[in-house]
Amino acid sequence: MESHSALTDKAFHTESNPFRKIALLLTIPCAILPIIMATGGMMTAFKEPTFFKNDFILFGLVYLIYVYGIVLSWKIHRKFVPFAILLIHLASLFYYSVISPIEFLGYVAVVSIMATSIVNQYYRTGSFECNECGTASCDV
């Protein structure tokens, strides 16, 4: 098992493509605000826009980048668990926003997207921690 000082997010720090770097960044719990905002916006986007008309397009773009970040991480850790949690999230979000706004499903959507990011970070870095360096370890 790796020591705590050896835990770094090599995928993020070695990535040179800015788009891929942003996609990987969106999937860590320390940078979860954009996907949480998109989740909240998508819950009502088809009934009444959160910010402006057709704002679900912007939220959909955030989701595409987020899923791309999950795919990039999967190429490293090869664990299906983050995808399974993401599918639970997408199913509950779809049911809540399109079929029936059952309050419980809103909570499931928010908690499951947080769980997706946390589990993904654990598989990618070996730690749940976020620290001042933005990685699981300051040994960059």
Side-chain angles (χ1 to χ4, degrees), residues 13-122:
H13 290 291
T14 59
E15 184 59 58
S16 59
N17 181 317
F19 181 75
R20 286 181 173 194
K21 198 162 193 127
I22 290 169
L24 286 169
L25 180 63
L26 280 176
T27 64
I28 65 171
C30 297
I32 199 163
L33 184 60
I35 195 66
I36 291 291
M37 287 177 62
T39 298
M42 288 298 270
M43 287 183 180
T44 61
F46 301 109
K47 296 175 180 92
E48 54 184 74
T50 303
F51 297 119
F52 50 86
K53 187 177 180 181
N54 297 325
D55 59 0
F56 67 90
I57 296 169
L58 174 65
F59 299 137
L61 182 62
V62 171
Y63 266 95
L64 287 176
I65 296 170
Y66 183 83
V67 171
Y68 183 61
I70 295 289
V71 169
L72 290 174
S73 293
W74 179 79
K75 288 181 179 181
I76 297 161
H77 56 66
R78 301 287 184 188
K79 303 287 185 194
F80 187 71
V81 176
F83 281 110
I85 300 171
L86 183 63
L87 289 176
I88 292 168
H89 165 75
L90 292 173
S92 61
L93 180 65
F94 176 79
Y95 195 91
Y96 182 92
S97 54
V98 176
I99 298 172
S100 176
I102 299 171
E103 189 172 340
F104 172 75
L105 290 177
Y107 288 113
V108 170
V110 171
V111 170
S112 61
I113 198 67
M114 290 189 297
T116 300
S117 292
I118 291 167
V119 170
N120 184 62
Q121 175 173 327
Y122 177 75

